[in-house]
Amino acid sequence: VIGIDLGTTNSCVAILEGKNPRVLENAEGLRTTPSVVAFQDDGSLLVGTPAKRQGVTNPLNTFTATKRLIGRSFEDPETDHNKSLVSY
């Protein structure tokens, strides 16, 4: 059994080992991963902490808090409000 928490700020994955849950660590050894995705100029994809780090130097290609926009139309007032808060 696998459990996934896709959070707006951070995400987490856990598995059952026998009857005990265990939260998996990411490549950095942390149990939560920032919910951030970034595209680099060469087309490669960054996820989590590396994506969050490069958000300062590549804000137009770094996506954060996108979960807030799922299911909303482009004309939705909440979408319109978020346009002023994000670089993408």
Side-chain angles (χ1 to χ4, degrees):
V1 176
I2 298 173
I4 302 172
D5 174 10
L6 297 175
T8 303
T9 306
N10 290 294
S11 296
C12 182
V13 177
I15 60 171
L16 273 180
E17 290 185 329
K19 293 187 178 190
N20 299 315
R22 181 171 74 89
V23 176
L24 301 179
E25 295 84 19
N26 61 22
E28 290 80 32
L30 302 172
R31 293 162 48 114
T32 59
T33 299
S35 299
V36 181
V37 175
F39 298 91
Q40 295 184 297
D41 291 337
D42 65 1
S44 61
L45 179 68
L46 297 174
V47 177
T49 302
K52 186 176 179 180
R53 284 188 196 124
Q54 73 104 49
V56 174
T57 58
N58 189 12
L60 293 178
N61 293 319
T62 304
F63 298 85
T64 62
T66 56
K67 184 177 170 185
R68 292 185 174 110
L69 303 174
I70 293 173
R72 297 186 184 276
S73 70
F74 195 71
E75 294 79 20
D76 186 300
E78 185 66 24
T79 303
D80 196 49
H81 171 72
N82 278 295
K83 289 178 199 173
S84 66
L85 302 175
V86 297
S87 58
Y88 52 88

